[in-house]
Structures are given as structure tokens and as C-alpha cells.
Amino acid sequence: MSDETARHNCTDCPIRHLTDWQNLPKKLLKKMDRYALRRQYELGDKLYHQGDKCHGLFCIRSGFVGLRRYDVSGRSSLIKLAGPGDTLGYRALLGHSTHSNSAEILKASEVCYIDRAIISEILQNHPSVGERFLQRCLTDLERMEAAYLRAKNLTTREQLLHFLMILHEQFGQLDENGCHYIVLPIARKDIAELIGSTPESVSRTIKKLETEHLVQFEGRLASFENLGAIIDQIGMIH
Amino acid sequence: MSDETARHNCTDCPIRHLTDWQNLPKKLLKKMDRYALRRQYELGDKLYHQGDKCHGLFCIRSGFVGLRRYDVSGRSSLIKLAGPGDTLGYRALLGHSTHSNSAEILKASEVCYIDRAIISEILQNHPSVGERFLQRCLTDLERMEAAYLRAKNLTTREQLLHFLMILHEQFGQLDENGCHYIVLPIARKDIAELIGSTPESVSRTIKKLETEHLVQFEGRLASFENLGAIIDQIGMIH
DNA sequence: CGTCTGGTTGATCTAGATCAACAGGAGTGG
DNA sequence: CCACTCCTGTTGATCTAGATCAACCAGACG
């Protein structure tokens, strides 16, 4: 974790439109500006640990963070991948509980920290923010259920393709030849943990996808031209 | 579904202390009394279907209801088992969305229905009820994540034992010989769907547990004396 | 008495976990 | 610049939990 912690100007944040604060009135934004702290994190850093008390919220400006959860026997799973615009820690904050999972940096990231005191104040004076978090919680639950179903019903192959499609929707690019491509933001082993598999199986599945000319991989670059063929293979559920 | 629909008196409901309405002031309870409708449902009945618009909440007075979810290819999974005191449908209601899963009666049940209009009114005048549902949503999310982890990491055997322990905590009884017992509220195939397995595998696993003298089964009666031995086998995570 | 549903058993098959080895960078330090 | 280690990813060989398919049994119910 680098030492440079800087004030962050939320009002002019270029990705504010992606965040939970997009509709916050100017007045409150100004207030946040006085407290938000930005910091650069490197791969492997933790924003917080499972079991920690919650001191505030983290808002991801760039990079990727994984929510990882350990069970009693020490096995861990990536529960969720969070990217630019996502706010982390709201559950422990609103639920007055400790963090139920760890937030680990999967790719160098810029993250802003907002202390719980200021959040509480905002929540009091501006109930629509609370409403917003309620909606967040409802959709997170919805998504979690979907992920649960996928884990139970889909093959590794389908899970991997689904993961690629999710990335594609968010970050898909088109190159000059009309070929879709994605730069995978995380390592193979993290992909494996995310889709509930192992690095070995992911590797093999990737190979198979290549021999079938469905997707090409080159390190962290994944490319494909026939989007439809992929969609066909997975019952595209979100 | 039986035809007799009756008014329900929430104020004097014997299980109100288990519900989300336990702390509701008298005044609001009186109001609910005028609208709550009680009805008897039989095995296989549906309270609502996945995709339905949400017209109100359902409060389970007795019996068991399963939240079942179908994916695009028609496979279904039991997402959650709901029992006396549980309120169903709050997610679609608060999220202004359609029901994301079906509520199916797994065991003859008495269920009360409260129209969304009256709920909305209560939510407006009594923000603590909204807060209560937010907390419900947070714990549901928490539980769902735990279930996701279990689905990925535990064997069928461990899942089954875990399921028994959950039932034990809620409904466990002790007979005259100091033997714990539970009456399984649902059918084998529903257990299978709940723990992400098949009826055949559940059956075999049950058999194995019996030969190891860990748990005895007789139809829907499960009994065991050595609780500790069971706890030992599963890293008891909730 | 047939029919149906829920549960149990048996035989088989396969996806994917596990264990083990190895290859290519990327640093690091002499 | 080479030697060393560390780390990620790939491949190979093996093994097993559990799904699947099929038959069958017992009780319920018309």
C-alpha cells in the first residue's frame, strides 16, 4: 500500500455517475469533499478483513477489488468482483456488524475512503441515500441468488463463458477487425475462485474454448468475434 | 388451496413475536387487523410465481414454504425454506420489481396476506418498519452468501448434516431417553433441491449416516443422541 | 385392484478435483 | 551478465463424488 493519501474531490469525480452518490445534492458533496481520502493500493492489499469492525465506506475509483470470504476450515472463495464506481462496506455499516468478508485488491486500484461518521450524518439528513443502499442490498441479494444457482447448475465451461460475458458487457471493446476483446482484470486463480473452480480446470477449459475457436486467449487478452455463439451456449442469466 | 379465507387478527397472533411486526405499535396493528386475510394452503399450492407482480406480503403462521427459483433452462432450485413467522415477498415490494422466485407450499400451511397498499401506508408513517426490512435484507444476503459457500465447498453429506442441524436448532426436540429428534418438514426431493443434490444421493447419504450410527431415520423422523459428533463433522457455519 | 407418488437400491459414467511436474517470465542480487 | 528464486500458468495422470438411468417397492387413494 503506498503511503500517499490524498484528499479526494468527490464533486468533480469523473466516475461519480457510476456511484451510489450520483444524485447527491451539491451541499452534501461539498461536505464529503472535506473528508474523502484517496489512496493507491497494490495487488494483494486489503481494504478490510473479514471480522473487522467497519469504520467507513470504500469507493473504488479505478482497478478491481475482490470480496473474499473464508470459511471455518480456511477455504476461501471470491464472492464478488467490484470495480470502478462500486461502494464497499455498506453492509457492515448499515447492519452495525463486522465485515463478513475481506476486500482484497486484485489489481492496482485507486480507492476513496469515507468515514462512517460522515456517512451517518448524510444518512440522517438525506433519507434517499438510505433508500439507495436498500436498493443496492436488494440487487446484491438478487445477484447472489443468481450466482448460487449458477454455482449449482452450470458447468465450469458455462461459468467461465458467463464470466467473460459479464466482463464483456462492462468493459468489452471492439478492435479494427470487428473482433470483440476484453483484458481480463484478474489472474487465473482468481477467476477460478470466482467461478468456483480451480486454476487447472480453468486452464483446461480455456484451451478447449480455443480449440473450438470460440474464444482466443493471449495472456490476459481474451478475444472472440462470434458473440452469438457464446450467448447460445449459456442460458444467459445474470 | 381451500376456499375459506378469513380475517386474521394480527394483534393477538400467537406467533407475532416471531415476525417482522413484533414491535409494531397497537394502532398500526389494529389497522392491519382490518386488512389481513388468513387462508389455508395445501402441499403444492403457490403463494406467488416467479415473475409475478407483487401485490402484497405473505406472513406464514404455520407450515413450511419453499422459495423456488427456475433458471432459463427450467431447472429449479430451492433457494430458501421459510417457516412460521417469516414474511415473504418483501423484496419485490420494496424493490418495485416482480417476484424473483416462486413461493411454494411444501407442507400444509396457514398464511396471512397483507395488501401492499396497507404496507406502503405503514412504511410511510413508521420508518422503523422500513429499517426492519433493510435489516432483513442484509441478513438474507449474509445467509445467501453462506449458502453459496456451502454449495461450493461442502460435500452432500456435510450439507445434509448442516441442514439437520439448522432444523434441530429451530425445532429440535428431546425424547424421554435423552435422544434428540426432528420431524423433517419436507420431502426427500425437496431436501435434495435445498442442499443442491438429488433424491438418490440424499437417500444414499442417509443410509450411510445410519450405518455409521450418526443419525437414525424412520420416514420423516430423524433422531440422534450424539450431537457433538455431528457438529464435529461440519465446520458449523451458518 | 390398478395407478400414482415418494422413496430406496443398483449399475454406470463423467466432470472436475487433486497431485505432480514443468515451463516461461520477472525480479533480485552477486 | 548469469544464477537463483519466485510466481503464474500450463499440462499430464489419476481418482472420486455424485449425477444419471433404470428398476423396484410400499403405501395411499380412487
Side-chain angles (χ1 to χ4, degrees):
Chain A
M1 191 182 327
S2 93
D3 279 346
E4 359 124 8
T5 300
R7 281 283 185 70
H8 178 65
N9 185 335
C10 298
T11 310
D12 303 325
C13 182
I15 59 150
R16 207 183 82 219
H17 66 286
L18 296 174
T19 72
D20 287 317
W21 321 100
Q22 51 184 287
N23 296 319
L24 210 62
K26 272 249 155 61
K27 210 182 70 184
L28 290 173
L29 279 170
K30 289 277 174 215
K31 175 164 281 183
M32 278 179 70
D33 285 347
R34 268 179 290 157
Y35 296 94
L37 298 173
R38 190 169 73 228
R39 174 176 271 194
Q40 172 76 22
Y41 292 86
E42 301 302 329
L43 193 145
D45 291 345
K46 298 269 176 75
L47 297 179
Y48 51 80
H49 289 79
Q50 186 170 334
D52 279 359
K53 279 212 283 190
C54 171
H55 301 107
L57 296 179
F58 293 88
C59 189
I60 307 173
R61 205 175 120 93
S62 69
F64 275 94
V65 181
L67 294 188
R68 177 169 270 134
R69 184 154 172 153
Y70 299 87
D71 70 11
V72 267
S73 44
R75 279 170 298 209
S76 81
S77 294
L78 269 184
I79 294 279
K80 177 181 160 154
L81 200 61
D86 283 325
T87 303
L88 301 180
Y90 79 96
R91 287 169 52 191
L93 192 136
L94 295 180
H96 312 289
S97 58
T98 56
H99 289 294
S100 59
N101 39 44
S102 301
E104 183 183 323
I105 306 293
L106 300 179
K107 184 191 173 188
S109 304
E110 279 181 308
V111 180
C112 296
Y113 172 77
I114 306 145
D115 196 82
R116 68 176 302 157
I118 179 82
I119 300 291
S120 299
E121 199 182 323
I122 290 180
L123 281 172
Q124 299 241 326
N125 304 331
H126 213 73
S128 83
V129 176
E131 168 68 14
R132 173 117 195 155
F133 279 117
L134 169 59
Q135 297 300 327
R136 255 292 295 278
C137 189
L138 287 166
T139 64
D140 276 0
L141 180 50
E142 174 68 23
R143 269 194 243 275
M144 197 62 224
E145 283 187 359
Y148 175 72
L149 278 207
R150 288 198 304 273
K152 284 186 13 176
N153 296 328
L154 300 193
T155 62
T156 299
R157 177 205 179 86
E158 291 169 315
Q159 287 259 68
L160 180 57
L161 287 175
H162 180 269
F163 169 67
L164 291 177
M165 287 304 94
I166 295 295
L167 285 183
H168 171 69
E169 275 182 16
Q170 282 188 69
F171 312 104
Q173 305 274 327
L174 207 59
D175 75 4
E176 56 281 2
N177 322 324
C179 189
H180 303 276
Y181 67 96
I182 324 165
V183 178
L184 303 181
I186 58 176
R188 296 283 194 271
K189 71 169 165 46
D190 292 324
I191 296 178
E193 263 194 72
L194 196 59
I195 68 176
S197 182
T198 60
E200 294 97 320
S201 292
V202 168
S203 196
R204 283 183 237 277
T205 308
I206 283 179
K207 187 132 200 230
K208 205 173 287 177
L209 293 178
E210 287 192 316
T211 61
E212 296 173 23
H213 302 103
L214 253 188
V215 191
Q216 300 305 314
F217 291 84
E218 235 188 283
R220 290 205 172 177
L221 187 76
S223 56
F224 50 92
E225 5 66 71
N226 197 344
L227 183 60
I230 298 177
I231 304 271
D232 284 350
Q233 300 227 350
I234 53 181
M236 193 62 182
I237 3 161
H238 277 189
Chain B
M1 190 183 329
S2 93
D3 279 346
E4 357 125 10
T5 300
R7 281 282 185 71
H8 179 65
N9 185 335
C10 296
T11 310
D12 304 323
C13 182
I15 59 151
R16 206 184 82 218
H17 65 286
L18 296 174
T19 71
D20 287 318
W21 322 100
Q22 52 184 283
N23 296 320
L24 209 62
K26 272 248 156 60
K27 209 183 69 180
L28 289 174
L29 278 170
K30 289 276 175 216
K31 175 164 282 185
M32 275 177 74
D33 285 346
R34 269 178 289 155
Y35 294 94
L37 298 173
R38 189 167 75 228
R39 174 175 271 193
Q40 172 75 23
Y41 292 87
E42 302 302 330
L43 192 145
D45 290 345
K46 299 268 176 75
L47 297 179
Y48 52 79
H49 289 78
Q50 186 170 335
D52 278 359
K53 280 211 284 190
C54 170
H55 301 107
L57 295 180
F58 293 88
C59 189
I60 306 174
R61 205 177 121 93
S62 69
F64 275 95
V65 181
L67 295 188
R68 178 169 269 134
R69 184 155 172 153
Y70 299 87
D71 71 10
V72 268
S73 44
R75 280 171 297 210
S76 81
S77 294
L78 270 184
I79 294 279
K80 176 181 162 156
L81 200 60
D86 283 325
T87 303
L88 301 180
Y90 80 96
R91 287 168 52 192
L93 192 136
L94 295 179
H96 311 290
S97 58
T98 56
H99 289 294
S100 60
N101 39 44
S102 301
E104 183 182 323
I105 306 293
L106 299 179
K107 184 190 174 190
S109 306
E110 280 182 306
V111 180
C112 296
Y113 172 78
I114 306 144
D115 196 82
R116 68 176 303 159
I118 181 81
I119 300 292
S120 298
E121 200 182 322
I122 291 179
L123 281 172
Q124 299 243 324
N125 305 331
H126 213 73
S128 84
V129 176
E131 169 67 14
R132 172 118 194 154
F133 279 116
L134 169 60
Q135 296 300 327
R136 256 292 296 279
C137 189
L138 287 166
T139 65
D140 277 359
L141 180 50
E142 175 68 22
R143 270 194 241 276
M144 196 63 226
E145 282 186 0
Y148 175 73
L149 278 206
R150 288 198 305 274
K152 283 182 20 174
N153 295 330
L154 301 193
T155 62
T156 298
R157 177 204 180 86
E158 291 169 314
Q159 287 259 67
L160 181 57
L161 287 175
H162 180 269
F163 170 66
L164 290 178
M165 289 303 94
I166 295 294
L167 285 183
H168 171 69
E169 276 181 15
Q170 282 189 68
F171 311 105
Q173 306 274 327
L174 209 58
D175 74 6
E176 54 282 3
N177 323 323
C179 188
H180 303 276
Y181 67 97
I182 325 166
V183 178
L184 303 180
I186 59 175
R188 297 281 194 272
K189 70 170 166 47
D190 292 324
I191 297 178
E193 263 194 71
L194 197 58
I195 68 176
S197 181
T198 61
E200 294 96 321
S201 292
V202 168
S203 196
R204 283 182 236 276
T205 308
I206 283 179
K207 186 128 200 232
K208 206 173 286 177
L209 293 178
E210 287 192 314
T211 61
E212 295 173 23
H213 303 103
L214 253 189
V215 192
Q216 299 305 315
F217 291 84
E218 235 187 281
R220 289 204 173 178
L221 188 77
S223 56
F224 51 92
E225 6 65 74
N226 197 343
L227 183 59
I230 298 177
I231 304 272
D232 283 352
Q233 300 227 351
I234 53 180
M236 195 62 183
I237 6 161
H238 277 189

